[in-house]
Tab-separated table of all heavy atoms in Angstrom:
chain	number	residue	atom	x	y	z
A	265	HIS	N	77.666	111.897	78.768
A	265	HIS	CA	76.357	111.464	79.271
A	265	HIS	C	75.687	110.474	78.320
A	265	HIS	O	74.940	109.598	78.778
A	265	HIS	CB	75.475	112.677	79.531
A	265	HIS	CG	75.854	113.408	80.778
A	265	HIS	ND1	75.841	112.810	82.021
A	265	HIS	CD2	76.296	114.677	80.977
A	265	HIS	CE1	76.238	113.674	82.934
A	265	HIS	NE2	76.529	114.814	82.333
A	266	ARG	N	75.962	110.581	77.038
A	266	ARG	CA	75.426	109.570	76.114
A	266	ARG	C	76.003	108.201	76.421
A	266	ARG	O	75.314	107.185	76.318
A	266	ARG	CB	75.751	109.974	74.668
A	266	ARG	CG	74.955	109.195	73.610
A	266	ARG	CD	75.338	109.641	72.218
A	266	ARG	NE	76.710	109.264	71.898
A	266	ARG	CZ	77.466	109.887	70.985
A	266	ARG	NH1	76.996	110.942	70.329
A	266	ARG	NH2	78.694	109.471	70.745
A	267	ARG	N	77.278	108.178	76.843
A	267	ARG	CA	77.943	106.907	77.144
A	267	ARG	C	77.755	106.494	78.600
A	267	ARG	O	78.192	105.410	78.973
A	267	ARG	CB	79.443	106.997	76.832
A	267	ARG	CG	79.770	107.284	75.369
A	267	ARG	CD	81.273	107.199	75.098
A	267	ARG	NE	81.741	105.825	75.211
A	267	ARG	CZ	82.733	105.437	75.983
A	267	ARG	NH1	83.379	106.313	76.769
A	267	ARG	NH2	83.097	104.162	76.027
A	268	GLU	N	77.136	107.339	79.398
A	268	GLU	CA	77.001	107.016	80.831
A	268	GLU	C	76.217	105.731	81.091
A	268	GLU	O	76.695	104.934	81.945
A	268	GLU	CB	76.368	108.204	81.554
A	268	GLU	CG	76.353	108.054	83.056
A	268	GLU	CD	75.827	109.326	83.723
A	268	GLU	OE1	75.430	110.283	83.034
A	268	GLU	OE2	75.822	109.333	84.956
A	269	PRO	N	75.069	105.417	80.552
A	269	PRO	CA	74.283	106.223	79.621
A	269	PRO	C	73.158	106.985	80.347
A	269	PRO	O	72.447	106.437	81.181
A	269	PRO	CB	73.693	105.163	78.694
A	269	PRO	CG	73.523	103.952	79.571
A	269	PRO	CD	74.579	104.032	80.646
A	270	ASP	N	73.001	108.249	79.964
A	270	ASP	CA	71.938	109.107	80.469
A	270	ASP	C	71.438	109.937	79.287
A	270	ASP	O	71.875	111.065	79.088
A	270	ASP	CB	72.474	110.004	81.586
A	270	ASP	CG	71.410	110.871	82.230
A	270	ASP	OD1	70.316	111.006	81.643
A	270	ASP	OD2	71.674	111.455	83.309
A	271	PRO	N	70.531	109.363	78.478
A	271	PRO	CA	70.100	110.060	77.259
A	271	PRO	C	69.512	111.440	77.510
A	271	PRO	O	69.734	112.368	76.712
A	271	PRO	CB	69.057	109.104	76.656
A	271	PRO	CG	69.401	107.760	77.209
A	271	PRO	CD	69.920	108.022	78.585
A	272	GLY	N	68.776	111.601	78.601
A	272	GLY	CA	68.176	112.901	78.881
A	272	GLY	C	69.221	113.971	79.118
A	272	GLY	O	69.109	115.089	78.588
A	273	ASN	N	70.231	113.649	79.912
A	273	ASN	CA	71.304	114.597	80.180
A	273	ASN	C	72.135	114.853	78.921
A	273	ASN	O	72.580	115.988	78.664
A	273	ASN	CB	72.191	114.073	81.306
A	273	ASN	CG	72.607	115.160	82.270
A	273	ASN	OD1	72.531	116.342	81.969
A	273	ASN	ND2	73.059	114.756	83.453
A	274	ALA	N	72.342	113.803	78.114
A	274	ALA	CA	73.049	113.988	76.847
A	274	ALA	C	72.285	114.952	75.948
A	274	ALA	O	72.881	115.826	75.303
A	274	ALA	CB	73.232	112.643	76.151
A	275	SER	N	70.958	114.825	75.915
A	275	SER	CA	70.142	115.726	75.094
A	275	SER	C	70.277	117.171	75.569
A	275	SER	O	70.383	118.097	74.751
A	275	SER	CB	68.675	115.298	75.140
A	275	SER	OG	68.499	114.030	74.545
A	276	TYR	N	70.293	117.353	76.884
A	276	TYR	CA	70.464	118.709	77.427
A	276	TYR	C	71.775	119.316	76.941
A	276	TYR	O	71.811	120.469	76.476
A	276	TYR	CB	70.433	118.672	78.954
A	276	TYR	CG	70.949	119.946	79.584
A	276	TYR	CD1	70.148	121.077	79.663
A	276	TYR	CD2	72.261	120.022	80.072
A	276	TYR	CE1	70.632	122.259	80.220
A	276	TYR	CE2	72.747	121.191	80.622
A	276	TYR	CZ	71.925	122.307	80.698
A	276	TYR	OH	72.423	123.471	81.239
A	277	TRP	N	72.854	118.539	77.023
A	277	TRP	CA	74.160	119.092	76.654
A	277	TRP	C	74.287	119.282	75.151
A	277	TRP	O	74.945	120.221	74.695
A	277	TRP	CB	75.284	118.234	77.228
A	277	TRP	CG	75.490	118.567	78.665
A	277	TRP	CD1	75.008	117.887	79.745
A	277	TRP	CD2	76.168	119.715	79.175
A	277	TRP	NE1	75.353	118.539	80.901
A	277	TRP	CE2	76.068	119.660	80.584
A	277	TRP	CE3	76.848	120.779	78.591
A	277	TRP	CZ2	76.639	120.636	81.403
A	277	TRP	CZ3	77.413	121.746	79.409
A	277	TRP	CH2	77.307	121.672	80.795
A	278	PHE	N	73.635	118.435	74.352
A	278	PHE	CA	73.666	118.681	72.915
A	278	PHE	C	72.844	119.913	72.550
A	278	PHE	O	73.162	120.600	71.572
A	278	PHE	CB	73.205	117.453	72.134
A	278	PHE	CG	74.329	116.506	71.809
A	278	PHE	CD1	74.341	115.208	72.301
A	278	PHE	CD2	75.397	116.917	71.009
A	278	PHE	CE1	75.384	114.340	72.010
A	278	PHE	CE2	76.442	116.058	70.716
A	278	PHE	CZ	76.440	114.763	71.212
A	279	ARG	N	71.807	120.218	73.321
A	279	ARG	CA	71.116	121.495	73.090
A	279	ARG	C	72.049	122.654	73.399
A	279	ARG	O	72.013	123.697	72.721
A	279	ARG	CB	69.842	121.569	73.943
A	279	ARG	CG	68.725	120.658	73.452
A	279	ARG	CD	67.391	121.004	74.096
A	279	ARG	NE	67.371	120.790	75.532
A	279	ARG	CZ	67.068	119.648	76.124
A	279	ARG	NH1	66.771	118.576	75.386
A	279	ARG	NH2	67.058	119.543	77.437
A	280	ARG	N	72.896	122.489	74.408
A	280	ARG	CA	73.894	123.517	74.707
A	280	ARG	C	74.914	123.634	73.564
A	280	ARG	O	75.407	124.729	73.272
A	280	ARG	CB	74.642	123.176	76.013
A	280	ARG	CG	73.822	123.265	77.287
A	280	ARG	CD	73.749	124.694	77.798
A	280	ARG	NE	75.061	125.270	78.052
A	280	ARG	CZ	75.727	125.160	79.202
A	280	ARG	NH1	75.199	124.487	80.216
A	280	ARG	NH2	76.902	125.731	79.357
A	281	VAL	N	75.244	122.515	72.949
A	281	VAL	CA	76.191	122.522	71.833
A	281	VAL	C	75.634	123.331	70.661
A	281	VAL	O	76.358	124.097	70.014
A	281	VAL	CB	76.497	121.071	71.379
A	281	VAL	CG1	77.267	121.065	70.058
A	281	VAL	CG2	77.288	120.327	72.451
A	282	GLY	N	74.328	123.160	70.375
A	282	GLY	CA	73.742	123.817	69.214
A	282	GLY	C	74.208	123.167	67.925
A	282	GLY	O	74.511	121.971	67.886
A	283	LYS	N	74.294	123.946	66.854
A	283	LYS	CA	74.751	123.426	65.565
A	283	LYS	C	76.267	123.558	65.502
A	283	LYS	O	76.812	124.604	65.150
A	283	LYS	CB	74.099	124.188	64.412
A	283	LYS	CG	74.366	123.561	63.053
A	283	LYS	CD	73.584	124.234	61.948
A	283	LYS	CE	73.855	123.562	60.612
A	283	LYS	NZ	73.084	124.183	59.507
A	284	HIS	N	76.947	122.483	65.858
A	284	HIS	CA	78.410	122.521	65.960
A	284	HIS	C	79.053	122.542	64.572
A	284	HIS	O	78.552	121.902	63.635
A	284	HIS	CB	78.912	121.314	66.749
A	284	HIS	CG	80.291	121.476	67.278
A	284	HIS	ND1	81.410	121.242	66.514
A	284	HIS	CD2	80.730	121.870	68.497
A	284	HIS	CE1	82.483	121.482	67.248
A	284	HIS	NE2	82.109	121.863	68.457
A	285	PRO	N	80.166	123.258	64.407
A	285	PRO	CA	80.849	123.297	63.109
A	285	PRO	C	81.271	121.925	62.581
A	285	PRO	O	81.440	121.756	61.367
A	285	PRO	CB	82.076	124.175	63.380
A	285	PRO	CG	81.682	125.036	64.536
A	285	PRO	CD	80.774	124.203	65.382
A	286	LEU	N	81.442	120.948	63.459
A	286	LEU	CA	81.855	119.611	63.017
A	286	LEU	C	80.718	118.797	62.419
A	286	LEU	O	80.970	117.772	61.779
A	286	LEU	CB	82.453	118.825	64.190
A	286	LEU	CG	83.839	119.225	64.665
A	286	LEU	CD1	84.236	118.392	65.871
A	286	LEU	CD2	84.867	119.058	63.551
A	287	PHE	N	79.484	119.222	62.604
A	287	PHE	CA	78.358	118.393	62.190
A	287	PHE	C	78.359	118.118	60.682
A	287	PHE	O	78.036	117.013	60.250
A	287	PHE	CB	77.035	119.037	62.599
A	287	PHE	CG	76.691	118.882	64.054
A	287	PHE	CD1	75.631	119.583	64.598
A	287	PHE	CD2	77.414	118.038	64.883
A	287	PHE	CE1	75.289	119.448	65.940
A	287	PHE	CE2	77.093	117.897	66.223
A	287	PHE	CZ	76.022	118.602	66.758
A	288	SER	N	78.708	119.100	59.872
A	288	SER	CA	78.694	118.877	58.425
A	288	SER	C	79.769	117.875	58.017
A	288	SER	O	79.525	116.987	57.187
A	288	SER	CB	78.874	120.196	57.675
A	288	SER	OG	80.095	120.820	58.040
A	289	ALA	N	80.963	117.984	58.616
A	289	ALA	CA	82.037	117.032	58.319
A	289	ALA	C	81.674	115.639	58.803
A	289	ALA	O	81.980	114.630	58.144
A	289	ALA	CB	83.343	117.493	58.963
A	290	LEU	N	81.011	115.556	59.948
A	290	LEU	CA	80.605	114.259	60.488
A	290	LEU	C	79.561	113.602	59.589
A	290	LEU	O	79.627	112.397	59.314
A	290	LEU	CB	80.074	114.434	61.909
A	290	LEU	CG	79.571	113.188	62.621
A	290	LEU	CD1	80.622	112.092	62.635
A	290	LEU	CD2	79.147	113.536	64.051
A	291	ALA	N	78.590	114.393	59.130
A	291	ALA	CA	77.576	113.846	58.229
A	291	ALA	C	78.216	113.326	56.943
A	291	ALA	O	77.847	112.253	56.432
A	291	ALA	CB	76.536	114.912	57.912
Side-chain angles (χ1 to χ4, degrees):
H265 284 300
R266 194 180 67 204
R267 299 187 69 234
E268 188 175 3
D270 184 345
N273 221 342
S275 295
Y276 165 79
W277 280 99
F278 271 118
R279 288 194 296 273
R280 291 277 302 272
V281 169
K283 189 173 181 179
H284 199 278
L286 287 177
F287 283 170
S288 59
L290 179 54

